[in-house]
Amino acid sequence: MTTLPDNVKDAPDFANDSFVPDIQKAEMEDHEVFKRGDGQVDFRTVSWIRASVIFIKIIFSTGILSIPSLMYGLGALPGALNVLGWTLLNTYCAIVQGNFRNAYPGCHSIADMAQVVGGPLLKEVVGFLFIVSYVIVAASGIIGVSTALNALSLHSICTVWFSLIATAVIVACASVRKFSHIGWLTWAGFASVYIAVLIVVIGVTTRARPAAAPQSGEFDLGYRVIGDPRFTGGITAAATIFVSSAATSAFLPVISEMRKPKDYPKAVYLSMSLVTTSYLTFSLVIYAWCGKWIASPSLGSAGPTVKRVAYGVALPGLIISGCLYVHVAAKYLFVRVLRNSRHLQANTVTHWGTWLGCTIGMAAISFILACAIPIFNYVLALVGALCFAPLAISLPGWLWLYSHSEYRKGPVSQKVVYGFHIFLILLGAFMAIGGTYGVIVQINEAYRDGKIEGAFACADSSGST
């Protein structure tokens, strides 16, 4: 495998290239992963609008399916504060990563950036976490698609078969080489999930009582402004909400395929603004009407008929989510293997064989994980704690410290900002250790209580409550 060129460490800061002389812009172009030239496949065709839709689709569907069901344990107020706090923090960290990448345009992934600040060993550690994270999130996408197929078919065949079908469809979509070509699919995928959630919101607000609650006599709605979860339940819920907007490391490979990488912040602000408002409004409305009777994933909260309609509408979006996760993981491996080779941007047998091998291999591992841990929220919490906490919180803090070392000896205001980024490193470490512990305890309890029948079982994988 090839590594990041050594001279990228000496690249000048191009984060604001409107003030960069033409000769330095040419130097920046030389550092880009994907070159522009005759006879080469041009990967750099993504506009900032299309990038924003890709970003929305990367993070939107998993969060909106999981967050409402977490409100009961945390309570409406702590739940809303978690959503707002984590999305704002993830937005900031996404900007930090993008600015660092544009300062070092040879960085294709978060692993390349880790090499700049920590050397080859850190690059391999971060690269491993990156692959693991998107393989696990892709498993959640497979669970979402198999749950939809179960709902639409009334569980006509074993869930494992539905998971296998979902994996095959996701591989076919993920094998499209360019983000720009996947981009038009993300429009349809985002619209389908958004409409499906609106259908559920309308469905729950027009019922006299939640679909899962007793339909006659007294019942406890279970709406709480402030909940009282145990540590393991609380940290698992926090990790799940965090991961709903934490896939910012997947934004970085998209920058390498943007027409104008300097437009990256606009795409981040647009996408994260829409995601934050949608998470807050949808999750709070569904929780207010369903209380503790929310299903997980949340599309099943309005009864069996609305559930089937919602999953039917959302199915394209769920497939595209899984497709993007597999594509991101496969693109990282693909570039690692073929970087600085003519096969990276040439229609050769080596090019296509490597690309298809990466997509199929990543999807196969995701399929195994989806069948081994078939409860949607636990899969998300596990990847949030184990992988995204260091990738999306600790490492951006380190990147900022590397780029702003002068703040350590500056005035008090700069020292406070410097200390905040040290706090980010520690916060990521706490979420990684505490969150992983909480999720493992929750998964063990789920197996013990029969919520999970066993790996590769044929029961519904939704984890419905």
Side-chain angles (χ1 to χ4, degrees), residues 60-75:
F60 180 69
S61 61
T62 54
I64 204 60
L65 296 181
S66 60
I67 290 175
S69 63
L70 303 171
M71 290 291 180
Y72 173 70
L74 294 174

Side-chain angles (χ1 to χ4, degrees), residues 148-170:
L149 294 176
N150 265 323
L152 293 171
S153 67
L154 298 179
H155 200 66
S156 61
I157 61 175
C158 177
T159 299
V160 175
W161 286 108
F162 278 137
S163 297
L164 186 60
I165 294 170
T167 303
V169 175
I170 286 171

Side-chain angles (χ1 to χ4, degrees), residues 39 49 56 69 110 121 138 170 175 182 217 242 293 338 356 395 416 456:
I49 291 291
I56 291 171
S69 63
I110 194 74
L121 179 59
I170 286 171
S175 295
I182 294 179
F242 157 69
W293 307 98
L338 296 182
L356 294 177
L395 190 54
V416 170
F456 294 89

Side-chain angles (χ1 to χ4, degrees), residues 282-402:
F282 289 158
S283 60
L284 288 174
V285 169
I286 294 175
Y287 176 56
W289 286 87
C290 293
K292 66 181 181 181
W293 307 98
I294 295 178
S296 175
S298 61
L299 294 186
S301 300
T305 301
V306 176
K307 175 182 178 179
R308 295 180 72 186
V309 173
Y311 272 118
V313 173
L315 185 58
L318 297 174
I319 291 173
I320 298 306
S321 292
C323 155
L324 284 171
Y325 303 142
V326 171
H327 185 95
V328 166
K331 184 65 70 69
Y332 168 76
L333 278 182
F334 175 72
V335 172
R336 281 294 305 271
V337 173
L338 296 182
R339 187 166 186 159
N340 298 327
S341 162
R342 71 179 185 88
H343 299 291
L344 181 65
Q345 290 181 256
N347 288 312
T348 62
V349 173
T350 300
H351 173 99
W352 280 104
T354 303
W355 173 238
L356 294 177
C358 290
T359 56
I360 294 172
M362 295 298 97
I365 299 172
S366 297
F367 166 75
I368 295 172
L369 290 173
C371 294
I373 312 175
I375 291 187
F376 190 76
N377 281 1
Y378 292 164
V379 172
L380 293 180
L382 180 62
V383 71
L386 190 61
C387 300
F388 281 128
L391 289 180
I393 305 178
S394 295
L395 190 54
W398 191 349
L399 297 175
W400 190 94
L401 293 176
Y402 181 88

Side-chain angles (χ1 to χ4, degrees), residues 212-461:
Q215 296 304 298
S216 60
E218 296 291 331
F219 79 102
D220 176 22
L221 177 63
Y223 180 85
R224 301 186 291 185
V225 176
I226 299 177
D228 58 345
R230 296 179 304 158
F231 172 79
T232 55
I235 194 69
T236 300
T240 307
I241 294 175
F242 157 69
V243 77
S244 67
S245 59
T248 53
S249 53
F251 296 179
L252 301 176
V254 181
I255 303 178
S256 295
E257 298 187 33
M258 291 181 69
R259 294 171 188 161
K260 298 180 180 179
K262 67 184 180 66
D263 288 340
Y264 167 79
K266 293 191 291 186
V268 171
Y269 290 133
L270 175 60
S271 59
M272 296 300 274
S273 297
L274 180 57
V275 166
T276 302
T277 54
S278 299
Y279 280 174
L280 278 174
T281 53
F282 289 158
S283 60
L284 288 174
V285 169
I286 294 175
Y287 176 56
W289 286 87
C290 293
K292 66 181 181 181
W293 307 98
I294 295 178
S296 175
S298 61
L299 294 186
S301 300
T305 301
V306 176
K307 175 182 178 179
R308 295 180 72 186
V309 173
Y311 272 118
V313 173
L315 185 58
L318 297 174
I319 291 173
I320 298 306
S321 292
C323 155
L324 284 171
Y325 303 142
V326 171
H327 185 95
V328 166
K331 184 65 70 69
Y332 168 76
L333 278 182
F334 175 72
V335 172
R336 281 294 305 271
V337 173
L338 296 182
R339 187 166 186 159
N340 298 327
S341 162
R342 71 179 185 88
H343 299 291
L344 181 65
Q345 290 181 256
N347 288 312
T348 62
V349 173
T350 300
H351 173 99
W352 280 104
T354 303
W355 173 238
L356 294 177
C358 290
T359 56
I360 294 172
M362 295 298 97
I365 299 172
S366 297
F367 166 75
I368 295 172
L369 290 173
C371 294
I373 312 175
I375 291 187
F376 190 76
N377 281 1
Y378 292 164
V379 172
L380 293 180
L382 180 62
V383 71
L386 190 61
C387 300
F388 281 128
L391 289 180
I393 305 178
S394 295
L395 190 54
W398 191 349
L399 297 175
W400 190 94
L401 293 176
Y402 181 88
S403 301
H404 300 81
S405 58
E406 70 278 6
Y407 275 51
R408 183 168 55 91
K409 298 181 179 179
V412 174
S413 59
Q414 290 188 349
K415 290 180 179 177
V416 170
V417 176
Y418 193 88
F420 169 74
H421 291 87
I422 294 176
F423 167 74
L424 288 184
I425 297 175
L426 299 177
L427 176 61
F430 169 76
M431 288 297 295
I433 298 171
T436 302
Y437 167 76
V439 176
I440 291 174
V441 171
Q442 295 280 90
I443 291 174
N444 286 336
E445 290 178 353
Y447 272 109
R448 184 192 63 200
D449 298 339
K451 294 180 181 179
I452 304 176
E453 291 191 3
F456 294 89
C458 285
D460 188 351
S461 61

